[in-house]
Amino acid sequence: MRKVAIVGGGATCCGKREASWRDLVQEAGKNTFENVPDISPKDVDSLFVGAAEPERFVFQSNVAPMVAEYLGITPRKVLARTELACASGQAAIRYAWACIATGLSDVAVVLGVEKMFMPDMAEGQSNFICLADREWDQVNGLTAPPLFAMTAQRHMFEYGTTKEQMALVSVKNHHYSSMNPLAQFQKEVTVEDVLKSVVIAPPLRLLDCSGFTDGAAGVIMVPAEDSSKYTDTPMYIIGTGQANIGNVVNNLGSLTEWVPLRMAVQEALKTANITLDKIDLAELHDCFTISEIMEYEAFGWCEKGKGGKFIEEEQSYIGGKIAANPRGGLLGCGHPLGATSLLQAVDILQQFRGEVPKGRYVEGAETAIAHNLSGYANVHSIMVYSR
Amino acid sequence: MRKVAIVGGGATCCGKREASWRDLVQEAGKNTFENVPDISPKDVDSLFVGAAEPERFVFQSNVAPMVAEYLGITPRKVLARTELACASGQAAIRYAWACIATGLSDVAVVLGVEKMFMPDMAEGQSNFICLADREWDQVNGLTAPPLFAMTAQRHMFEYGTTKEQMALVSVKNHHYSSMNPLAQFQKEVTVEDVLKSVVIAPPLRLLDCSGFTDGAAGVIMVPAEDSSKYTDTPMYIIGTGQANIGNVVNNLGSLTEWVPLRMAVQEALKTANITLDKIDLAELHDCFTISEIMEYEAFGWCEKGKGGKFIEEEQSYIGGKIAANPRGGLLGCGHPLGATSLLQAVDILQQFRGEVPKGRYVEGAETAIAHNLSGYANVHSIMVYSR
């Protein structure tokens, strides 16, 4: 089995873009290829596209060959799109990893993309709920904000977590995204800003929630043994973990204990053959502020129930116990569903290369994880990257 | 790299089903697990779902964890849905193959499903076109029938292929599907029936076209070294090939020469390390009668332009040069997009096991291929299976 390396990547600016789905693909593709001058589209034998809901947002299915055409790639080995809601991009990364590891592919592009802003945003929001089970959660109006609000309520009740502590996650991530030119929200926020922002689903307010976002990003993967042909600073995939329990909220067993995340963490560390303390940088799936607090606990950076305290003590800032979301997270950068995992990968690569601004640079980071959850936290997926 | 085996599979009846999307998943899942009594859902570590457009047909995205829940599977290794239009199921099979080959998964289920009949079939048809490029082919009304009609027209012009020869493909495939209790159309048709059926897009008539279909099917895959624990009659995956050129019709270069199919055939035979004459049985993607004629030529069973003559001489019947579509093909069995590749795999398994009716049994078959195309024949994908 071959070891796999990412030799370059590129992304679009994220936000409410005056750009079509096609424009986003081309912009991310251009930036990706420009980052690896010695690979041209004709060298690429495989393409993996992560996209969650182009069928609903842009009336476009069968997106994989479309992306191939827009990038000038003619895949002669593997071509497919993966969909796993908010973790669609990571499913694509894993598929590419497996194909290179087996020898099925030698040069692969993974591209994630989502165009979420529609002319009619009522339609956009109703499309978004398409990822919930139609016969259970959809019909009960259980969209993502009320689900994570229930989670937050329960976490507050069980562990005394406060709204202020949740707000601090948003403050940290906006602090980092203010230094990220690709971020949707490039402005610092204060605890007061968060607590005064409009209520979405109590206790979650606007600044507790990640945004609707347009964006795309891509990486180029090769067998590790070939990486020196293309770059002196490859990023290796050294482990991966994923787990799933059910699909609807009532499968979760507990709102405040994400069992599949615990399983995915164990598997990721096991396959990477490392312990938690070796991780220098973590891109966590902070779709809501409460999510990141739960993730501190599930990874084991703090005890169960102490996630609020953990951010209060600034343990998830650079220099703390774990540098969490130095990119700015989903809260600061936005969450273009299928693109998010690729945006994380590209930023980690830039961290390893020392290409990010000083204020959000995790100096000397050797190992990083990228985490995504999808659905109602029923699926968790983790990649472990190293220099 | 581990060799991979399919140890069992099951399918639903196909057609206009009085069943929900969920019902189809559960019916296929039940039949799949009943076929491998020594594997229960809790033994399965990974699930791969092939589905083309559930977002449009049943307003349901994020289908992979939903299928997991319905089948009682809690994937702790890999979970994803793949989408590649009419080849979505084969993309899922390939992903599962790669994950087992690398050692990432030890017991995987691959399930393909599509519920295409909607209460309002005008909406169903408009949804179907979602797989064409919105800015090019969609806006010009170039749905699948006119595209394949152009292909047929051109093939008739260049090679003298006749409507009668195309009709003979439909006659053969309906002959075999008349012996397939899972088929959508279990009735023989004559050349006259085809030539008198309603015109869809000249020269294609209703019986030249595969149908809108509800259906689902699944297989269970394990490393070949483990297969004897579960069955005496495993089916091995011995090769695979896929190729893509562009996405829209004008990328194809030629309407009558499917270059990516030629490439995929070469790759499939190379990875399987066999020559064409070793293939005893071929499940071909006969979405339209002209497709199967083009496939005889592209595989190399006959010369370019002689596909019409080939069916006229009954060379693609059992006992001829190649037993093509003894299942009944898409023309006879229907084409539930994401399920089709799995339906092909399950039928080939039953062929190898001698479980099909005598009239459509390819006795002694050792090696088979399953072929799918997607989009406007821009993508071709092939699996090579052996006993």
Side-chain angles (χ1 to χ4, degrees), chain A residues 165-297:
Chain A
Q165 290 171 335
M166 290 191 278
L168 284 167
V169 173
S170 187
V171 170
K172 171 178 70 69
N173 292 356
H174 282 87
H175 171 64
Y176 291 132
S177 71
S178 74
M179 291 173 269
N180 187 340
L182 301 183
Q184 183 167 16
F185 307 109
Q186 301 178 27
K187 211 169 73 172
E188 302 254 7
V189 300
T190 64
V191 169
E192 292 66 39
D193 291 335
V194 181
L195 297 180
K196 280 184 185 159
S197 63
V198 65
V199 172
I200 300 295
L204 301 178
R205 289 170 179 267
L206 184 65
L207 291 171
D208 286 298
C209 309
S210 56
F212 260 58
T213 313
D214 302 335
V219 298
I220 302 181
M221 281 190 200
V222 302
E225 68 212 44
D226 294 345
S227 61
S228 62
K229 290 189 217 168
Y230 309 115
T231 179
D232 295 332
T233 50
M235 174 166 101
Y236 301 105
I237 296 176
I238 63 166
T240 181
Q242 191 192 53
N244 158 238
I245 294 181
N247 178 62
V248 293
V249 172
N250 62 352
N251 293 138
L252 279 174
S254 160
L255 280 171
T256 56
E257 175 72 40
W258 287 340
V259 177
L261 177 52
R262 291 257 186 206
M263 292 165 66
V265 169
Q266 275 190 338
E267 180 75 11
L269 295 177
K270 193 177 121 195
T271 54
N273 195 25
I274 57 169
T275 49
L276 189 68
D277 59 301
K278 297 291 176 213
I279 297 172
D280 304 305
L281 187 171
E283 289 293 323
L284 299 175
H285 198 94
D286 57 327
C287 44
F288 298 91
T289 48
I290 185 64
S291 314
E292 188 169 316
I293 286 176
M294 300 263 295
E295 289 149 12
Y296 301 150
E297 302 170 2

